[in-house]
């Protein structure tokens, strides 16, 4: 059966570990895998802005011997000009995988149902699983084995990054705490699913209101913009309530003395993260950005190895 990465818990704990191990191998030997030899095309579609995701997927597909087929979301107008299902049927005939950044998760699910090739979530309103593979790779590089580590995510705990940290962190056996102001707590179903996954891996998943409680003693502090793509009109309201969740030197003093700091970028210095933190010695954000390349190459190679022979539906 063709496999997809639509949300973080599409990978079992053992599968996530396989992808991360391959990411480590590919970081050491970037041109050693020819999973897209041909060159086979991978459709890469953006309905929202991008920098890292476009750069890492285009470079990554090329490094795997493939052809990165950028499809302009503004031109294709998927779901408006023609249905998601019809676009999926066409792209599935021409490509070996589809990578899509879009709004609702249901759009991605529709693509996966009809493409006949692996579909990868390059960020939706609900999840950002590719970022999490890079984040887990980065955390492992700096902190060692993931199981048992403590990670706090601060900011918009109802966001894609918070949800993905809950699910992917729980899958890795991490103790994940997400912390945001009233009205910005994680989706109850996602939190419950993360707790279910954590029950099997020895990790845990919690939503913690107080930011100091959230970061107390943790190995890793993570933040993200307070205003995700698509929420720009709420920027005014999304400032004052978030101020206590800003990752500052003072807040970091409550984390472990060797805690590292992650941010998926783009970053807004002086808002969700202080300049002295993101540009300081605890920040691993540039390693994290680089690891998008390695982790996504590993993911594509892993998915392609499991794709249906021929890939295309009858
Ligand atoms: N939560 C952010 C992540 C950006 C990579 C957003 O959705 O805009």
């Amino acid at each position: 059966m063709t496999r997809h990465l639509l949300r973080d818990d599409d990978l079992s704990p053992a599968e996530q570990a396989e992808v991360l191990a391959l990411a480590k191998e590919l970081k050491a030997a970037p041109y050693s895998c020819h999973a897209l030899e041909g060159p086979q095309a991978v459709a890469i579609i953006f309905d929202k802005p991008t920098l890292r995701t476009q750069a890492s997927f285009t470079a990554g597909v090329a490094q795997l011997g493939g052809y990165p087929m950028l499809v302009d979301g503004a031109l294709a107008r998927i779901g408006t000009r023609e249905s998601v299902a019809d676009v999926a049927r066409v792209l599935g005939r021409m490509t070996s995988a589809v990578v899509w950044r879009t709004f609702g998760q249901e759009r991605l699910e529709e693509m996966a149902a009809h493409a006949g090739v692996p579909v990868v979530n390059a960020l939706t309103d609900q999840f950002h699983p590719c970022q999490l593979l890079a984040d887990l790779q980065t955390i492992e590089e700096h902190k060692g084995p993931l199981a048992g580590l403590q990670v706090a995510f601060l900011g918009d705990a109802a966001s894609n990054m918070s949800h993905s940290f809950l699910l992917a962190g729980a899958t890795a056996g991490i103790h994940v705490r997400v912390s945001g102001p009233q009205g910005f707590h994680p989706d109850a179903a996602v939190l419950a699913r993360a707790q279910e996954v954590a029950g099997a891996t020895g990790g845990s998943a919690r939503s913690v209101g107080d930011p100091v409680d959230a970061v107390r003693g943790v190995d890793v502090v993570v933040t993200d913009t307070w205003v995700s793509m698509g929420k720009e009109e709420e920027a005014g309201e999304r400032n004052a309530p978030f101020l206590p969740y800003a990752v500052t030197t003072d807040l970091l003093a409550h984390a472990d003395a060797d805690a590292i700091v992650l941010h998926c970028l783009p970053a807004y210095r002086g808002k969700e993260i202080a300049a002295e933190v993101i540009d300081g010695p605890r920040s691993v954000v540039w390693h994290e950005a680089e690891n998008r390349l390695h982790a996504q190459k590993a993911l594509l190679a892993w998915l392609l190895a499991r794709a249906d022979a021929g890939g295309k539906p009858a």
Side-chain angles (χ1 to χ4, degrees):
M1 209 182 79
T2 300
R3 297 287 303 269
H4 310 283
L5 184 67
L6 307 185
R7 41 186 282 165
D8 306 81
D9 55 341
D10 285 344
L11 294 176
S12 71
E15 291 172 344
Q16 183 195 66
E18 280 175 26
V19 173
L20 292 175
L22 184 55
K24 190 175 177 180
E25 278 176 36
L26 292 179
K27 187 167 186 173
Y31 306 104
S32 59
C33 177
H34 309 285
L36 288 166
E37 196 168 48
Q40 300 171 50
V42 172
I44 305 170
I45 316 166
F46 294 99
D47 291 342
K48 290 179 175 178
T50 177
L51 172 79
R52 275 150 297 280
T53 303
Q54 179 171 330
S56 54
F57 268 111
T58 51
V61 166
Q63 291 180 16
L64 292 171
Y67 173 74
M69 178 199 284
L70 277 175
V71 176
D72 185 335
L75 284 179
R77 292 190 288 125
I78 300 173
T80 305
R81 185 165 175 266
E82 56 190 320
S83 70
V84 174
D86 284 358
V87 171
R89 292 181 181 110
V90 172
L91 291 178
R93 298 287 174 126
M94 299 179 184
T95 66
S96 294
V98 174
V99 173
W100 192 14
R101 166 169 292 185
T102 191
F103 294 87
Q105 187 72 10
E106 71 290 347
R107 287 165 61 76
L108 206 69
E109 284 164 8
E110 183 83 2
M111 181 73 83
H114 298 280
V117 296
V119 173
V120 173
N121 180 350
L123 181 147
T124 56
D125 294 343
Q126 287 79 18
F127 302 105
H128 195 5
C130 289
Q131 182 68 53
L132 257 291
L133 290 174
D135 286 10
L136 294 180
Q137 182 178 4
T138 310
I139 293 170
E140 196 168 28
E141 284 171 354
H142 290 84
K143 289 283 160 197
L146 296 172
L149 290 176
Q150 300 194 62
V151 175
F153 174 91
L154 272 79
D156 180 0
S159 70
N160 43 19
M161 280 301 296
S162 167
H163 288 159
S164 278
F165 250 102
L166 285 166
L167 290 182
T171 303
I174 288 174
H175 299 288
V176 185
R177 307 166 194 174
V178 300
S179 185
Q182 206 56 46
F184 299 93
H185 294 167
D187 179 81
V190 173
L191 182 59
R193 173 66 183 144
Q195 287 167 343
E196 182 189 345
V197 172
T201 61
S204 61
R206 280 197 298 145
S207 176
V208 178
D210 185 87
V212 174
D213 283 346
V215 301
R216 191 165 284 128
V218 298
D219 304 292
V220 182
V221 176
V222 187
T223 190
D224 179 21
T225 179
W226 295 336
V227 186
S228 284
M229 292 179 276
K231 303 282 185 195
E232 290 80 1
E233 75 287 357
E234 295 175 23
E237 314 145 34
R238 282 175 176 250
N239 200 46
F242 282 88
L243 289 173
Y245 299 85
V247 178
T248 59
T249 304
D250 283 353
L251 189 64
L252 266 186
H254 300 279
D256 183 78
D258 294 322
I260 56 170
V261 175
L262 275 74
H263 190 310
C264 63
L265 306 172
Y268 301 92
R269 289 168 174 79
K271 296 271 191 186
E272 75 276 4
I273 193 160
E276 64 193 13
V277 173
I278 192 169
D279 299 320
R282 291 165 167 228
S283 165
V284 295
V285 302
W286 312 117
H287 300 291
E288 181 186 6
E290 178 191 330
N291 285 339
R292 295 291 304 278
L293 173 68
H294 311 301
Q296 290 160 193
K297 283 172 66 182
L299 174 69
L300 284 174
W302 191 92
L303 290 171
L304 288 162
R306 284 151 189 82
D308 288 344
K312 318 290 180 250

